[in-house]
Amino acid sequence: MSHTVTLIPGDGIGPEVTDAAVSVIEALGVEIEWHRVEAGGEVMARYGTPVPDHVLNLIRKDKVALKGPITTPIGEGFKSANVTLRQSLELYACLRPVKSLPEITSRYEDVDLVVVRENTEDLYSGIEHLIVPGVAESIKVITATAVTRIAEFAFEYARRENRKKITVVHKANIMKISDGLFLECTKVVRRRYPEIEYEEKIVDNVALQLVRDPSQFDVMLMGNLYGDILSDLCAGLVGGLGVVPGANLGADYAVFEAVHGSAPDIAGRNKANPTAVLLSSVLMLRHLGERDAAERMEAAVHRALGDPDARTADLGGAGTTTSFTDAVIAAL
């Protein structure tokens, strides 16, 4: 079966790690026609937006995209390309599986949890302004429609993947109306899934409990800001952002991406670790119905990670982007 996928290489190390993913998928024999387009800062200079309409329209046509990291200016400059994609394509669910890799030494073993993050609103709605000089206001938006949608996604995912428990993360003790609405909507949805254990935890306590014992969590459902912060914390439990995949999913479209930054300091030096984008590609292959290929690719990544000569330096190895990619292909 043939597929069409939009490829957004990104910037910094993005082109190197996405090229690695394309090479492995081609070695698998999965037939994909790649439609390569650019997004980010250089595109912003030409079009006035980091994600122009022709990029969005191509993703709408292909319905699936694989994306490398894109640099987002801090405190100034253009709106995040990631936020633009999520809001424009209604990619309301961010899915971040976090699982220990036996080949990578980390502080914890046997971590196996999933962060489900609402992607389109909360404090990331981008509604902020200066009231007067020296006083800024940012508005947190929570809607019943968006919360119900992400709660249904989380419970359906848990049921489909045979997950046993959902933890809803909130700060309703302080933000009683906004986070209170989040809890109210999730409680309505949970009634349809009596077989799944349900609990609610305050976000600061969740951060503490994750560090104390991550095994107590299974699927974690939360809003945009909490999800952004805690998903990175969870990645740290298993070795860092370089080994964790990510997917942004909506009713019609799906964008799969590595969740780490663009690392411009090592761009073009053949030092980038492609593991995260390779595992994101595994999620993409499953989404495309290529489950056998996905299992082969995931197993090959694990075998390559077990070779210190192939692993990149950030994982304690002596390898390069190229040598690791070659090791994955050889392991197929």
Side-chain angles (χ1 to χ4, degrees):
M1 183 178 179
S2 180
H3 311 277
T4 58
V5 174
T6 303
L7 179 65
I8 304 174
D11 50 36
I13 62 172
E16 297 169 76
V17 295
T18 53
D19 282 350
V22 169
S23 296
V24 174
I25 291 171
E26 288 178 348
L28 276 166
V30 178
E31 293 185 24
I32 292 181
E33 180 181 345
W34 299 97
H35 295 152
R36 187 184 181 109
V37 288
E38 301 296 333
E42 293 184 8
V43 173
M44 177 74 185
R46 295 200 303 270
Y47 294 95
T49 173
V51 187
D53 287 343
H54 71 269
V55 174
L56 294 172
N57 289 335
L58 186 56
I59 298 174
R60 291 184 180 111
K61 179 181 177 182
D62 291 338
K63 298 190 181 303
V64 176
L66 179 65
K67 175 186 159 296
I70 295 175
T71 304
T72 300
I74 298 175
E76 59 183 0
F78 58 84
K79 181 180 178 181
S80 163
N82 296 328
V83 172
T84 301
L85 281 168
R86 294 165 191 167
Q87 292 180 344
S88 299
L89 299 172
E90 279 292 299
L91 304 175
Y92 63 85
C94 178
L95 183 70
R96 295 271 292 269
V98 179
K99 191 171 183 178
S100 295
L101 300 172
E103 303 82 9
I104 303 300
T105 301
S106 62
R107 294 182 181 274
Y108 301 89
E109 296 179 355
D110 301 322
V111 175
D112 185 8
L113 58 85
V114 179
V115 176
V116 176
R117 164 188 170 191
E118 202 289 319
N119 241 353
T120 63
E121 52 180 30
D122 202 330
L123 276 169
Y124 287 13
S125 299
I127 306 171
E128 56 180 7
H129 57 275
L130 282 173
I131 300 174
V132 295
V135 181
E137 181 178 57
S138 185
I139 298 175
K140 174 170 178 164
V141 177
I142 300 292
T143 66
T145 298
V147 177
T148 299
R149 183 171 61 178
I150 194 65
E152 289 173 342
F153 176 93
F155 277 93
E156 282 296 323
Y157 176 87
R159 175 178 282 176
R160 184 175 67 251
E161 300 297 326
N162 197 31
R163 295 277 179 166
K164 305 300 183 185
K165 182 173 72 171
I166 286 183
T167 302
V168 181
V169 181
H170 67 94
K171 192 67 176 176
N173 57 325
I174 303 298
M175 287 169 277
K176 299 180 185 296
I177 296 176
S178 56
D179 280 21
L181 179 60
F182 199 101
L183 292 181
E184 179 183 330
C185 294
T186 57
K187 288 175 182 176
V188 172
V189 173
R190 70 164 292 203
R191 295 172 191 155
R192 306 202 300 267
Y193 301 85
E195 76 279 15
I196 298 173
E197 184 182 347
Y198 174 90
E199 67 176 3
E200 301 167 356
K201 286 187 181 294
I202 296 172
V203 60
D204 38 321
N205 181 39
V206 169
L208 169 66
Q209 297 300 328
L210 278 167
V211 174
R212 292 183 64 184
D213 179 16
S215 68
Q216 64 187 287
F217 296 100
D218 191 350
V219 175
M220 304 169 66
L221 169 62
M222 61 197 80
N224 211 338
L225 177 64
Y226 309 149
D228 191 9
I229 297 168
L230 291 184
S231 58
D232 280 14
L233 188 157
C234 290
L237 304 176
V238 299
L241 294 175
V243 296
V244 174
N248 293 290
L249 308 168
D252 300 308
Y253 314 112
V255 176
F256 299 86
E257 62 179 327
V259 297
H260 54 68
S262 57
D265 56 318
I266 61 169
R269 298 172 62 185
N270 203 24
K271 291 184 174 182
N273 172 17
T275 300
V277 78
L278 292 175
L279 293 177
S280 299
S281 300
V282 169
L283 296 180
M284 183 186 74
L285 290 174
R286 291 192 180 116
H287 178 81
L288 292 171
E290 300 283 356
R291 298 193 71 86
D292 289 343
E295 298 307 316
R296 288 181 59 208
M297 185 171 180
E298 185 173 29
V301 170
H302 280 275
R303 284 196 288 274
L305 287 172
D307 180 359
D309 291 329
R311 283 200 307 264
T312 49
D314 60 306
L315 298 179
T320 63
T321 310
T322 301
S323 69
F324 185 77
T325 305
D326 290 343
V328 174
I329 292 172
L332 294 175

